[in-house]
Amino acid sequence: MIHAKNRVAQEIARETMRALHGLIRAGMSEAEIRRVAEAEMVARASNGWWYHGIGALVLLGKRSVESMPGRQYVASDENCVAENDVITIDLAPTVDGYWGDYARTIFVENGLVAPPDAPRSAAYRQGLDVELHLHQVLVEIARPEMTYEDVYRRMNVEIARLGFENLDVHGNLGHSVEMDERERIYLEQGSTRSFAEVGKAFTFEPHIRVPGTGEGFKREDIYYFDASSALRRL
């Protein structure tokens, strides 16, 4: 079930991410980017952050491979955007308590932010293409009768098959969309309830890299099953 305000919150996140492509510059710190992102969401009528009080979790460069519980996150004033860099940004706006949840990796090449989903670097393109592929596979395989663990297992096999690794600190790939963050059900081992049983939208957010490399990639969208049991992106 999708509430109209979830749609509004997710559109706030999408619009903010598009705006950030035109606002981020080489030399900006994680903390600066977070402040800009949160201000952009407030300007678009977000009136809270559901994720541990964090509206924008920003990790760039060498920190793009890091995964940590939200309570431990601190945006750095020292870690700044380089001339060639990757920036993972995870946005968590709310509209009257209803969530948006949206993450992208932004690519900086020769001091300029690449257009959305259009990096020229072969390494950046590879990471983006794998993310796009994983989301497409999810749409093809996910069914309401599957459990959260079923999808977790299938998608982690696909990540490994493509030569990447799952960077999430807990190994999960997403979670149910709730009103209380403590009630989330994760795409993880041991989550044996089906999507039909839970009856809620969920996120898919693989955080991945080629093992041993210093660049992490993340892409997150909210999905739900429509009346015909087809998986749709919010």
Side-chain angles (χ1 to χ4, degrees):
M1 182 70 69
I2 291 291
H3 194 281
K5 290 183 180 179
N6 287 117
R7 294 185 183 278
V8 174
Q10 191 72 341
E11 187 58 27
I12 288 169
R14 267 194 291 268
E15 290 178 358
T16 295
M17 195 70 73
R18 284 193 289 266
L20 289 173
H21 278 78
L23 295 170
I24 291 173
R25 298 286 183 271
M28 290 178 72
S29 69
E30 289 177 358
E32 288 178 281
I33 295 170
R34 177 183 174 181
R35 287 192 291 270
V36 169
E38 292 180 348
E40 289 289 318
M41 288 187 285
V42 169
R44 288 170 171 80
S46 174
N47 51 19
W49 322 123
W50 67 264
Y51 188 65
H52 303 292
I54 299 167
L57 195 155
V58 182
L59 294 168
L60 62 90
K62 61 183 180 293
R63 293 189 79 198
S64 67
V65 301
E66 294 184 11
S67 177
M68 67 197 76
R71 292 182 184 87
Q72 297 178 10
Y73 172 71
V74 177
S76 171
D77 285 306
E78 287 74 42
N79 192 27
C80 299
V81 179
E83 291 291 302
N84 293 281
D85 220 338
V86 295
I87 310 165
T88 62
I89 304 177
D90 196 336
L91 301 176
T94 61
V95 174
D96 299 336
Y98 291 90
W99 299 3
D101 202 359
Y102 187 84
R104 291 292 186 269
T105 295
I106 291 177
F107 304 96
V108 182
E109 298 176 302
N110 299 318
L112 299 175
V113 175
D117 294 347
R120 287 182 282 185
S121 158
Y124 294 172
R125 186 74 234 178
Q126 180 190 29
L128 173 62
D129 285 347
V130 169
E131 287 282 3
L132 292 170
H133 172 77
L134 293 171
H135 280 259
Q136 182 58 40
V137 171
L138 175 76
V139 172
E140 292 171 358
I141 70 165
R143 298 292 181 269
E145 65 271 17
M146 294 175 72
T147 69
Y148 277 57
E149 183 180 58
D150 289 336
V151 169
Y152 159 83
R153 290 185 180 279
R154 291 281 297 273
M155 299 311 301
N156 270 301
V157 167
E158 188 68 6
I159 290 169
R161 186 186 73 80
L162 295 165
F164 280 69
E165 64 179 338
N166 181 351
L167 291 170
D168 186 83
V169 64
H170 299 301
N172 70 61
L173 293 170
H175 54 79
S176 59
V177 174
E178 307 284 352
M179 296 289 284
D180 184 336
E181 66 182 281
R182 295 167 296 183
E183 296 180 359
R184 284 174 291 173
I185 300 167
Y186 293 94
L187 296 171
E188 65 180 354
Q189 186 170 346
S191 269
T192 58
R193 296 174 69 188
S194 70
F195 292 101
E197 182 183 358
V198 174
K200 296 177 179 178
F202 65 96
T203 71
F204 182 62
E205 50 182 309
H207 182 199
I208 59 173
R209 71 167 174 180
V210 174
T213 62
E215 295 160 343
F217 304 93
K218 190 173 187 181
R219 189 178 187 91
E220 178 182 33
D221 286 303
I222 293 175
Y223 291 92
Y224 67 98
F225 291 99
D226 68 13
S228 67
S229 296
L231 189 66
R232 304 293 185 189
R233 184 178 68 127
L234 182 61

